[in-house]
């Protein structure tokens, strides 16, 4: 798992947030959403949980160049941090792996790859970390995300029968050529940047960089299940693009709610074990399981802290009596 934060991170997909928003505004009532909102809010106030916001969350709630304020208020009650753009996360992951490959010292904490602020910051009552987000910024960000999406590059490569490591190598080579100012400073000073990138990208391990490991594990089974004709006619674009969202955010989460098809594929893969994350979909039974898991984990965390406190007290010779 890439997330080394002390709090537990809960990611909700757009469908789940949509049902929660209807309950939050009173337009409809879903008991499971009411309970989930309560659990997430209590965990956030108690400084145990955070439910991050992504640009993908906000985009559906823009109308007439205005973001629906109740939606931001709802997210403001559940979390205090925002995910970087997916493109930014991917680039920072690459920089981290390049540093590791060339034995460079890279002291930035892992959370900086994914979050705009430290998710371990103390909860502040009344603080809304999303107040600075504007409709214009969100629209521009989503446009950039689409421009740098690699999902359809994957699909074309899949049809051509290319292996994952070849797809990853080509993608990162293009990234290095387009943005040498981002990648260049982290390559060895002696020798050319081109030769260093070629040596790095020639390694088969490049396919294990989280975004490619996850997206290939999800997309290939989905493409086989859907049939290439449905993909070519754009009938499954929402599911395919959601797979790219998972590839960016999942490694930084403890609990991840995804589309039903994606959750099913993930559950049959080794990804939950690799990244130490639990997977759910937005069906009622799955969300009640999420609520139960969060509640039980909180009890275990509380007991563990109490035990550690007792051990520390006894080592110092202290006593409550």
């Amino acid at each position: 798992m890439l997330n080394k934060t002390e709090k537990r991170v809960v990611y909700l997909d757009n469908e789940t947030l949509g049902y929660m928003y209807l309950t939050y505004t009173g337009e409809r009532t879903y008991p499971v959403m009411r309970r989930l909102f309560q659990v997430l809010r209590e965990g956030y106030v108690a400084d145990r949980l955070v439910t991050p916001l992504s640009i993908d969350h906000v985009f559906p709630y823009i109308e007439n160049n205005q973001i629906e304020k109740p939606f931001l208020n709802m997210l403001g009650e559940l979390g205090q941090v925002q995910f970087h753009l997916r493109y930014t996360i991917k680039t920072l992951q690459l920089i981290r792996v390049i540093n590791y490959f060339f034995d460079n010292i890279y002291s930035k904490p892992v959370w900086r790859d994914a979050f705009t602020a430290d998710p371990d910051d103390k909860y502040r009552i009344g603080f809304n970390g999303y107040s600075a987000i504007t409709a214009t910024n969100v629209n521009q960000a989503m446009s950039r995300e689409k421009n740098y999406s690699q999902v359809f590059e994957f699909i074309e490569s899949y049809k051509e029968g290319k292996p994952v490591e070849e797809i990853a190598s080509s993608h990162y080579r293009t990234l290095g050529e387009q943005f040498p100012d981002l990648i260049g400073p982290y390559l060895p000073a002696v020798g050319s940047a081109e030769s260093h990138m070629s040596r790095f990208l020639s390694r088969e391990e490049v396919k294990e960089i989280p975004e490619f490991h996850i997206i290939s594990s999800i997309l290939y089974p989905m493409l086989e299940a859907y049939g290439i004709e449905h993909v070519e006619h754009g009938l499954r674009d929402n599911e395919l693009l959601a797979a790219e969202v998972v590839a960016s955010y999942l490694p930084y989460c403890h609990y991840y709610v995804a589309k039903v098809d994606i959750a099913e594929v993930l559950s049959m893969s080794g990804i939950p074990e690799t990244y130490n994350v639990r997977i759910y979909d937005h069906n009622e039974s799955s969300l009640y399981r999420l609520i139960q898991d969060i509640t039980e984990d909180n009890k275990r965390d509380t007991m563990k802290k109490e035990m550690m406190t007792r051990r520390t007290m006894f080592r110092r010779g202290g006593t409550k009596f």
Side-chain angles (χ1 to χ4, degrees), residues 185-199:
Y186 302 99
L187 300 174
V190 179
S192 68
E194 292 78 9
S195 63
H196 292 314
M197 281 296 291
S198 294
R199 183 157 64 94

Side-chain angles (χ1 to χ4, degrees), residues 10-28 30 32-42 44-45 49-54 57-58 60-61 67-81 123 126-131:
V10 187
Y11 183 88
L12 305 179
D13 70 337
N14 280 348
E15 281 85 353
T16 305
L17 280 177
Y19 291 127
M20 183 177 287
Y21 185 52
L22 291 173
T23 301
Y24 181 81
T25 58
E27 186 173 341
R28 296 183 192 173
Y30 298 97
V32 65
M33 293 301 168
R34 189 185 301 279
R35 178 59 182 150
L36 179 58
F37 179 84
Q38 180 184 3
V39 167
L40 295 178
R41 191 181 187 283
E42 288 174 353
Y44 176 47
V45 173
L49 293 176
V50 62
T51 307
L53 173 78
S54 72
H57 287 149
V58 182
Y61 298 93
I67 303 173
E68 295 181 27
K69 287 297 182 183
F71 179 76
L72 291 181
N73 291 336
M74 182 184 78
L75 266 295
E77 293 187 45
L78 301 181
Q80 64 187 24
V81 292
Y123 170 76
F127 174 65
N128 186 340
Y130 312 131
S131 58

Side-chain angles (χ1 to χ4, degrees), residues 13 15 104 220 292 294:
D13 70 337
E15 281 85 353
N104 295 330
Y220 286 0
Q292 182 178 1
I294 291 174

Side-chain angles (χ1 to χ4, degrees), residues 111-179:
W111 67 260
R112 285 191 178 276
D113 292 359
F115 301 105
T116 59
D118 189 346
D120 288 332
D121 278 350
K122 186 71 177 175
Y123 170 76
R124 287 175 281 170
I125 296 176
F127 174 65
N128 186 340
Y130 312 131
S131 58
I133 293 178
T134 66
T136 299
N137 291 340
V138 171
N139 286 326
Q140 290 175 345
M142 286 301 295
S143 176
R144 188 177 188 187
E145 294 284 38
K146 291 178 181 177
N147 289 337
Y148 291 107
S149 172
Q150 67 210 61
V151 169
F152 299 107
E153 173 189 350
F154 251 90
I155 294 171
E156 292 304 314
S157 299
Y158 168 82
K159 290 189 290 186
E160 295 173 10
K162 292 182 180 179
V164 177
E165 57 267 28
E166 183 179 339
I167 302 171
S169 177
S170 174
H171 176 78
Y172 287 132
R173 190 180 302 279
T174 301
L175 189 66
E177 291 172 353
Q178 290 180 336
F179 304 99

Side-chain angles (χ1 to χ4, degrees), residues 196-210:
H196 292 314
M197 281 296 291
S198 294
R199 183 157 64 94
F200 168 69
L201 295 174
S202 65
R203 300 293 295 270
E204 186 174 320
E205 289 86 345
V206 71
K207 71 178 181 181
E208 299 302 327
I209 294 176

